[in-house]
Amino acid sequence: MKKLYSLFLLIVALLVLVNVFFYLHIYRQQLDYQKDLLLKQTQICGWEIERKVADFQNDLHRILFTKNINDFFTDPDSKTIVARQLEVLFSKYSHLVSSIQVFNGNNQVYSLSKDRSNQILSDEYQPRNHKNLHNREHFERKNGDWIYALPSFSEGNKVELNVQATLTVNQLAKSIFENYHLEDTQWQALLDHDGTTRLHNHSSEEIRFQQIDIITGNLSDGKDGSLLQVVHLSKGREKVLTSYYPVVLFTEELGVLFSLKTDKIITSVILNIIILAAATFLILIFIILIFLAVLQRKQQEELTLKQSERKLKKILDSLPIGIFYTSEDKNIQSVNRAALEILKIADEKFLIGKESQGLFFHFREIPFSFKGVNEETSLYVYYDENDNEILLYFKEIPFEIQGEKSYILAFIDITPLENARKAEAAANSSKTDFIAKISQDIRTPLNGILSISETLSSEKNLSPDYREKIEIIKKSAELLVSVINDLIDFSKAEIGKIFVEEIPFVLENEMEIVSNSFSAMCEEKNMSIFTEMEADIPEEIVGDPFLLRQILTNLVSNAIKHSGGEKILISFKAEHSETESLRLKVAVQDDGVGISPHIAAIANSESPVKEAYERQNIPEGLLKTRKLIQLLNGDFEVKSPSLIASGKNPGTMVSFTMKVYSNKGPEKNIDFSHIRNYSDIRVLIFHDPKRKDVSLQKILKDMEIKSEITQFNDSSIPLLKARLSDKSDNYSLIVIMDTPAQNGFTIARDLYINELSQNYLVIMISSNNRPGNLVKCQKMGVDYYLLYPYDSSEIFDFIQNSFTHIEIPVSKPITLKKIRQDISILVAEDNAINQRVAQIIFKNLGFEIDIAPNGMKAVNMVREKQYDIIFMDIRMPVKTGFDATYEIRKLGFAMPVIALTANVSELDRTKAMEVGMNDFLSKPVRVDNIKNLLIKWFSKPV
């Protein structure tokens, strides 16, 4: 009988496999063909968009380099020539350009635009608001369009005028997409870098791609490709084949998407499948008839087997756990009563015959750990008819009955455990939100205390006694702000929201900051802080100075409050490894009363249960520190006595470790003594050919340094090796541009592997910065890591420090600047204390301000009076700062709006940029911060 069943199953399986194989083969053939075709169309479309924009840039550059351009507003003949060229440019790129403007520093504007009949209109006028000239190539996004401006320079390198074009990339893409559009069968879309759909030509009003994260991730890495996905439309869902291709326009990264309904692919397969399925069906009917004839002979045997099954079912029904009895193919044959109760199913017929694992979903977040968990044990989720989620713990047990393999699936309901876990997580989140809310409310009076004390300390006629008292108030308030920040960071650490930075810093400076911040407390308690650092620790290291400072602050504060000693020692040791990383061992010791072995053991323990019952006896500073050390993946230890203890008190020592890197650049034995002038320096720039950035070449040209720009390819390494022997023709400096389309680290690694990094100075300029880039540069022999955009002074300083035999040129006179005194300022703030503080701060700077008590009042005051700058509190009654700023921008006002907030979160930053805010000030507001902002926006030459 078993052989007969096996033969039957084998034949059925073969037939099914033949059908499946045939279907998959044809389907894959069609799918691969459509993928290649669709991806090719996507690439051609993307190339065409990039080419159109590149051609427009080149044509605009040609106009700017004509000899008539600078005489546009002074010479009628020049104006006629240039205006004609601009009109030709406008007509040539009518699908891309919506308007062109030429304007100079005298507030003269010449404009080209189109009317409703698509005729070009020209106009010359003087705008109400002065248009600022850009001294370099400028690009920005505004109201969905792109603004692209180029300056024109006189012989004296002075900016004479700007030519500015408003670009409608959506219109360009739409015109190109029409060449490939086939109603809703094949349609196109244009994506922003964040996955937002800028444009599509599907008839549906709304489109949402299900796998947009995969697409945007590949696009940001400069990759193209194809995938099958579901697209959510306003009228339903469609399964489509989507090809995508990255497009880089100016500094913007876009994606071109072509989508094809999979129905068209499947239709071509169906006819062949029908023929094969019909043949398979006839064969299967024949096999079934034979099999039924055999089954009649085995009825008596089956009857006996059913009786055995009934007995087994009675046994299983008596068990308190849910049980499925399944066949070898995992189809459910029988269930017990407990299983029906757990799954809340009234009739077992609903389950019989169904594939067991198809009823459940794998539970991927497993916060529990069970003893004895193995490969046959899993967690599953089941949804009952009311969509209630039931979490089940499964155990699969194989066994045999009469030589036939079967399974028993046993499970229990652990939903209460999961609900308890979720409740705990919600409680932690609520606690964190509560701490953040309370901390923000405390910042408001602290803002007044700090600002008033800072203002009073600047008074000249104060007695030393009063000045000392004011300083105490100020330092106490600053310490309270630090405590609030500790609370917020501690609560964030509990839910894993703190990120570890990798930035350069000087360890000695961090030690000095921590020591100075506790000088007043130590003087009050007659304590002294000493620092000790081993000589082999690098002067500059790469790590997270903020977390290190916070950890040391917690430990020193704890020692001052609880030790009762006379001195505190902060010591640093370095454990060097074979790699570039250092294991920094830090110890904070005191000579106070010490800590009991019991409390030290609890502080060192990582058991959350033990801590929950006994942490009330542990100083808070140790708890905070252990949380932060866990983020750094370091070791933490508390012990007593300390190494500096003397006399009757044993003292306490708290030590921890953290991973850092040396910030010392690679040592290179390069002889630059023959380079005496900037003109002797030769620079090779490896740049992405799709992004034409001439700013670096202009900086080098202004310094009379020769430079070449090229794409890195297979011939680059042999070329550099060939030039090493000829100093007169060799490069001195290599600049690698790291962009989304060109991986600069691949180039740096090839130079390092071929031992070329030691023969050149290497700079990497990255517009694709990521954590760990600085450390990777050091490993690959890169001397200087620079982020884009950069200042020309950074390039100048590096060259000056590297080529020491070049005589420093005579400096040009420095132009001094000061703040304008005719600034009209509006402060929107609902808190009366903060209003008064703002008046005092601005009065000390020489300005009178207007106060708006809420966002609606601020909007009304802007309508009535012309303000130069607005300081806007984010959270106000009646109308928030976000809503007020949005309405002000909607009215057409372009003055700077500075956000005032006690807690600048990433969400607030994003929302502020969306509504049109220009900058942020964090409360408590300082005089220096206000002054720096006013210098930034309203400085003028003396």
Side-chain angles (χ1 to χ4, degrees):
M1 187 67 181
K2 181 178 179 181
K3 292 181 179 179
L4 183 62
Y5 276 103
S6 300
L7 180 62
F8 174 78
L9 292 175
L10 178 61
I11 295 174
V12 172
L14 287 174
L15 292 174
V16 172
L17 286 175
V18 169
N19 279 269
V20 172
F21 174 78
F22 190 75
Y23 173 82
L24 292 177
H25 179 69
I26 299 176
Y27 180 78
R28 285 171 182 168
Q29 278 188 332
Q30 290 292 325
L31 186 63
D32 290 340
Y33 172 78
Q34 293 296 338
K35 276 186 179 179
D36 293 339
L37 179 61
L38 200 63
L39 183 59
K40 190 66 177 178
Q41 292 177 338
T42 310
Q43 291 172 342
I44 294 172
C45 182
W47 293 337
E48 188 171 356
I49 293 174
E50 289 183 330
R51 181 179 59 79
K52 287 283 187 182
V53 175
D55 291 345
F56 168 76
Q57 286 183 270
N58 292 334
D59 290 346
L60 186 59
H61 273 277
R62 291 191 190 98
I63 296 176
L64 277 174
F65 283 101
T66 60
K67 64 181 180 179
N68 309 96
I69 187 68
N70 289 335
D71 299 328
F72 184 89
F73 291 101
T74 57
D75 183 11
D77 294 335
S78 298
K79 179 178 180 180
T80 301
I81 295 172
V82 175
R84 179 56 184 163
Q85 292 175 337
L86 292 175
E87 290 178 2
V88 171
L89 180 70
F90 200 177
S91 299
K92 181 178 179 181
Y93 299 98
S94 59
H95 290 303
L96 175 62
V97 182
S98 62
S99 68
I100 297 178
Q101 290 185 345
V102 182
F103 54 92
N104 60 11
N106 296 326
N107 215 26
Q108 292 178 286
V109 178
Y110 176 80
S111 172
L112 290 176
S113 59
K114 292 181 180 179
D115 60 10
R116 294 183 177 178
S117 61
N118 215 28
Q119 296 296 319
I120 297 177
L121 302 177
S122 62
D123 187 22
E124 184 172 353
Y125 61 95
Q126 288 189 331
R128 180 179 178 184
N129 295 325
H130 182 72
K131 298 177 74 64
N132 295 325
L133 292 176
H134 301 288
N135 58 5
R136 62 178 64 182
E137 186 180 42
H138 177 74
F139 172 78
E140 65 174 314
R141 298 180 66 166
K142 187 175 183 182
N143 298 330
D145 293 332
W146 293 359
I147 307 300
Y148 178 63
L150 288 173
S152 177
F153 298 89
S154 64
E155 294 182 358
N157 207 24
K158 177 184 177 183
V159 179
E160 291 293 334
L161 53 80
N162 279 184
V163 178
Q164 176 176 294
T166 301
L167 308 179
T168 55
V169 177
N170 287 5
Q171 185 176 349
L172 173 63
K174 184 177 180 181
S175 65
I176 296 175
F177 286 165
E178 289 302 317
N179 299 327
Y180 307 91
H181 182 231
L182 297 175
E183 297 182 353
D184 287 346
T185 300
Q186 179 173 308
W187 48 275
Q188 295 76 35
L190 188 66
L191 296 185
D192 267 333
H193 65 89
D194 58 355
T196 304
T197 304
R198 292 176 58 96
L199 169 71
H200 68 84
N201 52 15
H202 196 279
S203 62
S204 178
E205 296 178 0
E206 179 182 355
I207 289 181
R208 179 166 57 85
F209 296 93
Q210 190 177 55
Q211 300 191 39
I212 191 65
D213 291 339
I214 297 176
I215 295 174
T216 55
N218 288 336
L219 289 175
S220 64
D221 292 336
K223 299 178 181 178
D224 56 15
S226 302
L227 53 80
L228 288 170
Q229 65 169 333
V230 174
V231 177
H232 298 269
L233 308 171
S234 57
K235 60 183 180 180
R237 302 193 310 170
E238 288 183 353
K239 189 173 182 181
V240 298
L241 170 64
T242 299
S243 293
Y244 51 88
Y245 182 78
V247 176
V248 180
L249 305 180
F250 303 104
T251 60
E252 295 291 318
E253 298 176 356
L254 304 177
V256 175
L257 271 65
F258 274 50
S259 295
L260 175 66
K261 291 174 64 175
T262 55
D263 294 343
K264 298 300 178 182
I265 303 175
I266 296 174
T267 302
S268 62
V269 183
I270 291 178
L271 182 60
N272 293 321
I273 296 301
I274 291 175
I275 298 173
L276 181 62
T280 303
F281 179 76
L282 293 175
I283 296 174
L284 187 60
I285 292 296
F286 178 76
I287 294 173
I288 291 174
L289 291 175
I290 296 176
F291 188 73
L292 289 175
V294 175
L295 287 180
Q296 287 179 349
R297 302 173 186 175
K298 302 296 180 180
Q299 287 181 349
Q300 187 62 39
E301 295 179 7
E302 290 181 357
L303 181 60
T304 304
L305 181 61
K306 287 181 180 179
Q307 291 175 348
S308 300
E309 289 178 353
R310 292 190 191 100
K311 294 179 181 179
L312 177 62
K313 183 174 177 59
K314 289 181 180 180
I315 296 173
L316 296 179
D317 282 340
S318 64
L319 297 177
I321 61 174
I323 293 177
F324 287 166
Y325 166 63
T326 72
S327 60
E328 186 177 3
D329 56 2
K330 301 293 181 70
N331 288 332
I332 298 174
Q333 304 296 315
S334 178
V335 298
N336 71 341
R337 186 180 296 106
L340 297 175
E341 293 174 354
I342 292 174
L343 301 181
K344 299 180 181 179
I345 296 176
D347 190 351
E348 67 176 353
K349 293 180 181 179
F350 178 78
L351 297 173
I352 301 301
K354 290 190 176 181
E355 201 274 326
S356 58
Q357 294 182 347
L359 297 171
F360 309 101
F361 299 93
H362 275 286
F363 188 74
R364 303 195 180 276
E365 293 184 18
I366 304 180
F368 311 107
S369 60
F370 297 97
K371 293 183 179 180
V373 173
N374 54 45
E375 293 181 355
E376 297 178 350
T377 305
S378 303
L379 289 177
Y380 288 84
V381 172
Y382 173 77
Y383 293 94
D384 64 15
E385 59 182 5
N386 297 320
D387 286 336
N388 296 317
E389 183 180 275
I390 302 174
L391 184 61
L392 303 175
Y393 174 57
F394 257 84
K395 179 72 175 180
E396 183 179 278
I397 306 170
F399 69 100
E400 289 187 3
I401 295 180
Q402 296 181 352
E404 296 181 4
K405 189 174 182 181
S406 302
Y407 295 92
I408 287 181
L409 303 181
F411 56 91
I412 60 174
D413 183 3
I414 59 171
T415 306
L417 291 176
E418 171 65 3
N419 292 337
R421 184 189 71 85
K422 290 181 178 179
E424 182 183 1
N428 285 335
S429 179
S430 299
K431 179 182 68 175
T432 302
D433 294 341
F434 175 74
I435 291 175
K437 176 66 171 61
I438 293 299
S439 301
Q440 182 174 338
D441 292 341
I442 296 174
R443 287 176 189 266
T444 298
L446 276 181
N447 179 35
I449 295 172
L450 276 174
S451 302
I452 293 297
S453 61
E454 187 174 351
T455 303
L456 288 175
S457 63
S458 63
E459 296 288 340
K460 297 180 179 179
N461 299 325
L462 289 176
S463 66
D465 183 48
Y466 274 103
R467 189 175 299 278
E468 181 182 3
K469 292 177 180 178
I470 292 171
E471 284 298 318
I472 292 174
I473 294 174
K474 181 180 176 182
K475 290 182 178 179
S476 299
E478 289 176 345
L479 184 59
L480 187 54
V481 171
S482 176
V483 171
I484 293 171
N485 291 336
D486 287 346
L487 281 173
I488 295 175
D489 290 341
F490 183 55
S491 63
K492 288 181 179 179
E494 288 187 322
I495 56 175
K497 289 188 177 179
I498 293 182
F499 299 95
V500 181
E501 300 286 352
E502 287 184 355
I503 57 178
F505 67 96
V506 179
L507 182 58
E508 189 172 347
N509 292 346
E510 298 303 317
M511 295 168 60
E512 184 177 352
I513 290 172
V514 173
S515 299
N516 292 340
S517 63
F518 289 100
S519 59
M521 293 179 64
C522 288
E523 184 177 351
E524 182 181 347
K525 293 196 173 187
N526 294 322
M527 299 182 70
S528 301
I529 298 179
F530 302 92
T531 57
E532 187 179 273
M533 184 187 304
E534 286 189 344
D536 60 344
I537 297 179
E539 181 179 356
E540 289 192 12
I541 57 180
V542 177
D544 194 325
F546 310 109
L547 273 179
L548 174 61
R549 189 188 308 170
Q550 188 166 356
I551 292 169
L552 291 177
T553 299
N554 291 340
L555 296 179
V556 173
S557 174
N558 182 74
I560 294 175
K561 292 177 182 178
H562 303 290
S563 71
E566 297 179 353
K567 60 183 178 180
I568 298 172
L569 174 63
I570 308 174
S571 60
F572 294 84
K573 294 182 180 180
E575 299 176 0
H576 296 267
S577 64
E578 296 180 357
T579 62
E580 290 79 1
S581 64
L582 300 172
R583 186 178 174 87
L584 197 64
K585 187 170 184 178
V586 188
V588 178
Q589 306 180 62
D590 62 65
D591 59 350
V593 296
I595 188 170
S596 70
H598 176 66
I599 299 300
I602 298 174
N604 293 326
S605 172
E606 296 184 0
S607 170
V609 176
K610 194 172 186 180
E611 178 183 316
Y613 285 101
E614 304 189 57
R615 65 181 178 183
Q616 64 269 21
N617 298 318
I618 306 175
E620 188 68 19
L622 296 183
L623 289 176
K624 293 180 182 178
T625 302
R626 192 177 71 184
K627 289 284 186 182
L628 296 176
I629 294 302
Q630 289 173 348
L631 290 175
L632 297 173
N633 295 320
D635 299 328
F636 176 80
E637 183 182 12
V638 181
K639 65 180 181 179
S640 181
S642 69
L643 300 179
I644 65 171
S646 61
K648 61 179 182 180
N649 291 328
T652 303
M653 180 172 73
V654 183
S655 61
F656 63 91
T657 60
M658 64 181 294
K659 184 179 179 181
V660 296
Y661 299 87
S662 172
N663 196 32
K664 185 179 179 181
E667 295 183 0
K668 299 181 179 180
N669 298 321
I670 309 175
D671 183 14
F672 289 136
S673 59
H674 62 285
I675 297 179
R676 301 286 179 174
N677 299 295
Y678 290 116
S679 57
D680 297 333
I681 302 175
R682 293 196 62 187
V683 180
L684 177 62
I685 304 171
F686 288 123
H687 198 5
D688 171 21
K690 297 180 181 179
R691 301 181 63 177
K692 298 181 179 180
D693 179 15
V694 298
S695 58
L696 177 59
Q697 284 188 295
K698 185 179 184 304
I699 292 171
L700 297 174
K701 184 178 180 181
D702 292 342
M703 297 173 64
E704 299 181 353
I705 295 177
K706 302 173 184 177
S707 64
E708 300 175 24
I709 185 168
T710 185
Q711 180 182 4
F712 187 83
N713 50 43
D714 294 339
S715 63
S716 300
I717 297 297
L719 174 66
L720 291 173
K721 288 183 177 179
R723 293 198 175 189
L724 283 176
S725 58
D726 187 0
K727 288 188 177 181
S728 61
D729 191 41
N730 192 22
Y731 300 110
S732 311
L733 173 63
I734 293 178
V735 179
I736 303 172
M737 307 300 291
D738 177 44
T739 67
Q742 173 178 282
N743 190 337
F745 289 95
T746 301
I747 300 174
R749 184 176 61 250
D750 287 348
L751 295 178
Y752 182 77
I753 292 174
N754 288 277
E755 299 181 352
L756 290 171
S757 301
Q758 294 296 322
N759 299 285
Y760 302 97
L761 292 177
V762 182
I763 298 178
M764 183 175 293
I765 301 177
S766 177
S767 59
N768 192 31
N769 185 46
R770 284 176 171 80
N773 278 7
L774 181 61
V775 176
K776 286 163 60 176
C777 282
Q778 292 179 339
K779 294 180 180 179
M780 297 178 184
V782 177
D783 299 271
Y784 192 39
Y785 181 67
L786 189 61
L787 293 181
Y788 186 90
Y790 52 86
D791 196 332
S792 59
S793 63
E794 297 179 83
I795 301 292
F796 174 80
D797 291 341
F798 174 78
I799 291 176
Q800 199 65 49
N801 294 331
S802 301
F803 300 95
T804 55
H805 293 83
I806 297 178
E807 183 178 354
I808 300 177
V810 179
S811 300
K812 297 180 180 180
I814 300 175
T815 302
L816 301 178
K817 294 185 178 182
K818 68 176 183 179
I819 305 174
R820 283 172 33 204
Q821 295 301 309
D822 57 343
I823 305 172
S824 178
I825 302 171
L826 173 64
V827 176
E829 171 64 63
D830 63 306
N831 185 273
I833 296 176
N834 289 344
Q835 291 175 2
R836 180 57 182 156
V837 169
Q839 288 176 329
I840 293 173
I841 290 175
F842 281 103
K843 190 167 186 178
N844 288 339
L845 292 174
F847 299 100
E848 295 292 339
I849 63 173
D850 294 337
I851 299 290
N854 55 62
M856 182 175 291
K857 181 64 175 176
V859 175
N860 294 334
M861 293 176 70
V862 169
R863 285 195 182 102
E864 298 170 358
K865 182 178 178 179
Q866 182 69 34
Y867 290 100
D868 296 307
I869 188 170
I870 301 174
F871 292 85
M872 182 78 71
D873 187 22
I874 288 181
R875 292 172 178 84
M876 292 185 293
V878 184
K879 189 184 289 291
T880 67
F882 291 134
D883 295 336
T885 303
Y886 177 77
E887 191 167 339
I888 289 171
R889 294 305 189 210
K890 195 174 181 181
L891 292 172
F893 295 100
M895 76 285 286
V897 178
I898 313 301
L900 299 175
T901 178
N903 185 20
V904 184
S905 65
E906 288 301 322
L907 181 62
D908 284 347
R909 286 185 178 275
T910 302
K911 191 171 182 180
M913 296 300 294
E914 290 175 352
V915 301
M917 289 182 167
N918 302 90
D919 214 329
F920 288 87
L921 276 181
S922 179
K923 295 179 180 179
V925 178
R926 303 296 183 90
V927 176
D928 290 343
N929 295 338
I930 295 286
K931 190 173 181 179
N932 288 336
L933 268 176
L934 295 179
I935 290 173
K936 174 182 177 180
W937 291 99
F938 302 104
S939 60
K940 66 177 183 178
V942 177

